[in-house]
Amino acid sequence: MSSKSNLAAMSIIGVLFFIFGFVTWLNGSLIPFLKAICELNEFEALFVTFAFYIAYTVMALPMSFILQRVGYKNGMAVGLTIMAVGSLIFIPAAISANFIVFLIALFLLGTGLTILQTASNPFVIYIGPTESAAMRISIMGVINKSAGVLAPLLFTAYVLSGVGSLDSLSSIDKGAVASKLIIPYIIMALALSGLAILVKFSSLPELDFEKDKLLGEESIFEFPRAVLGALALFFYVGIEVVAGDTIGLYGQYLGMDNYTVLTSYTMSFMVLGYLVGIFCIPKFISQEKALISSAVLGSLFLVGVVTSSADSYIISKTLWGWSGIGAIPNTVAFVAFLGFANALIWPTIWPLALEGLGKYTAQGSALLIMAIAGGAIIPLLVGKIASASGDMQSTYLVGLVCYAFIFFYATKWHKITKWKSLW
């Protein structure tokens, strides 16, 4: 592709990544919101993440077949249309304040995002040299997580403006607050529909991997680096969603005010981490070393979460006064810091896992997208343990298992070409 074509493609994909981020990280505000509106406990509230992220596992392989049939560009238009339908389902969900209908809407949003992610990530990797793919994905990450910073702030400013404490609302007031979701999701549905038309008739080039012939391999499961990369992504997305989507619940658990904006803190540190990737990969640090560093740093921050006090502060009101939330307890700050550690894991695993797949790239991409189910299962596990134990702080230690698997993939497993070489 020419430089001009690269720029046009990156611009369109950049808009898509902004949509990914806005829709995905809005969940961080929806979880404590629906917990109060629908009168749920922590475990039940985290079915928001389950319904959204399980769609990636259920729908990834069907979506890869759609991509093979209609092409990557048309597939992205299909995904945007499905997301528009999911947004419209929020209207009856808000009117009825029915948690099941909310979950159906979230599943449809996740389904549309499945095909978008399956198609768009290979675009970013293969429109330039593979050794700098993590840098390009980091650029997309900045766009994605910037939307993640914005989404909770807009949600709180519009939906919760003048509401006060969600936990003290009457049933009638809760219904009125829930109805405030209708207009934002109508706007979202219109925007997604317009973007689907734009992508359909854009000059975005088509990817074609069918000409790449591989001898001896009959299935994507014969590529250890892809399969193990998917498992690494499973654990990564799990701990990423824990850091981004449970921080609001954690703040609520600790009795903080304006806890619905806390996801913005995690996203802010992720943006900072992506900026490091943009400027340092591959010039100063390789993709493998960036992945190793992320796993180690994430583990250290988790130790900080469980050993820090809720009564001491390292993020002051002066520094974060724009959020209106005041000072941040140390233990909550370390949850936000996980965003920095997590930022470069997705950008570095993708090029390592897809290397050399050729015509199996669509299936490899679908396999990696299926791994996003980690965002459904691991937070739900965290919520179950927290509800059973009554101690949400120590529950974050579950994330050490996630970082351990990522560390081993970064140091050895991504280099494996045959399963017999695993041990």
Side-chain angles (χ1 to χ4, degrees), residues 319-344:
L319 181 61
W320 295 92
W322 55 268
S323 70
I325 199 170
I328 304 297
N330 285 358
T331 180
V332 178
F334 275 111
V335 178
F337 293 162
L338 289 173
F340 181 82
N342 290 338
L344 296 183

Side-chain angles (χ1 to χ4, degrees), residues 25 28 236 238-254 256 259 261-271 297-310 312 314-315 320 328-343 379 382 392-399 403:
W25 297 111
Y236 156 67
I239 190 60
E240 180 196 34
V241 174
V242 166
D245 282 359
T246 71
I247 189 171
L249 279 179
Y250 191 35
Q252 188 180 34
Y253 166 80
L254 294 175
M256 296 179 64
Y259 44 79
V261 304
L262 283 173
T263 295
S264 293
Y265 288 72
T266 305
M267 296 300 102
S268 296
F269 282 107
M270 288 200 80
V271 170
L297 195 59
S299 299
L300 293 175
F301 286 151
L302 280 177
V303 173
V305 173
V306 299
T307 59
S308 297
S309 170
S312 55
I314 53 178
I315 298 183
W320 295 92
I328 304 297
N330 285 358
T331 180
V332 178
F334 275 111
V335 178
F337 293 162
L338 289 173
F340 181 82
N342 290 338
V382 168
M392 191 168 182
Q393 184 172 9
S394 62
T395 305
Y396 281 98
L397 283 175
V398 170
Y403 288 122

Side-chain angles (χ1 to χ4, degrees), residues 11-21 76 80 116 120 195 199:
S11 298
I12 294 172
I13 298 300
V15 172
L16 295 180
F17 269 79
F18 184 88
I19 296 295
F20 300 164
M76 285 189 281
L80 288 163
L116 284 173
S120 61
L195 191 55
V199 170

Side-chain angles (χ1 to χ4, degrees), residues 67-90:
L67 287 180
Q68 288 181 315
R69 186 173 183 85
V70 305
Y72 282 73
K73 185 169 76 171
N74 289 334
M76 285 189 281
V78 170
L80 288 163
T81 302
I82 294 172
M83 289 180 67
V85 173
S87 297
L88 291 175
I89 300 297
F90 269 86

Side-chain angles (χ1 to χ4, degrees), residues 34-115:
L34 293 179
K35 178 178 181 290
I37 296 298
C38 300
E39 300 178 357
L40 312 169
N41 60 34
E42 285 84 359
F43 175 64
E44 293 167 336
L46 284 169
F47 269 93
V48 167
T49 60
F50 181 83
F52 185 82
Y53 289 103
I54 201 66
Y56 287 94
T57 297
V58 175
M59 303 305 296
L61 285 178
M63 294 300 104
S64 73
F65 294 131
I66 290 176
L67 287 180
Q68 288 181 315
R69 186 173 183 85
V70 305
Y72 282 73
K73 185 169 76 171
N74 289 334
M76 285 189 281
V78 170
L80 288 163
T81 302
I82 294 172
M83 289 180 67
V85 173
S87 297
L88 291 175
I89 300 297
F90 269 86
I91 298 173
I95 292 172
S96 63
N98 188 306
F99 189 52
I100 299 299
V101 183
F102 277 114
L103 296 182
I104 293 171
L106 287 162
F107 182 85
L108 282 174
L109 285 174
T111 298
L113 280 172
T114 299
I115 191 168

Side-chain angles (χ1 to χ4, degrees), residues 10 13 17 120-142 274 277-283 285-288 290 343-355:
M10 286 286 282
I13 298 300
F17 269 79
S120 61
N121 283 286
F123 258 108
V124 180
I125 292 171
Y126 291 110
I127 60 175
T130 54
E131 63 269 17
S132 60
M135 181 269 290
R136 290 190 297 278
I137 298 177
S138 293
I139 293 174
M140 295 297 118
V142 170
Y274 279 124
I278 291 171
F279 291 109
C280 295
I281 298 175
K283 187 175 182 179
I285 185 172
S286 68
Q287 295 175 152
E288 295 93 330
L344 296 183
I345 298 178
W346 179 278
T348 51
I349 288 179
W350 270 85
L352 295 176
L354 292 185
E355 182 181 354

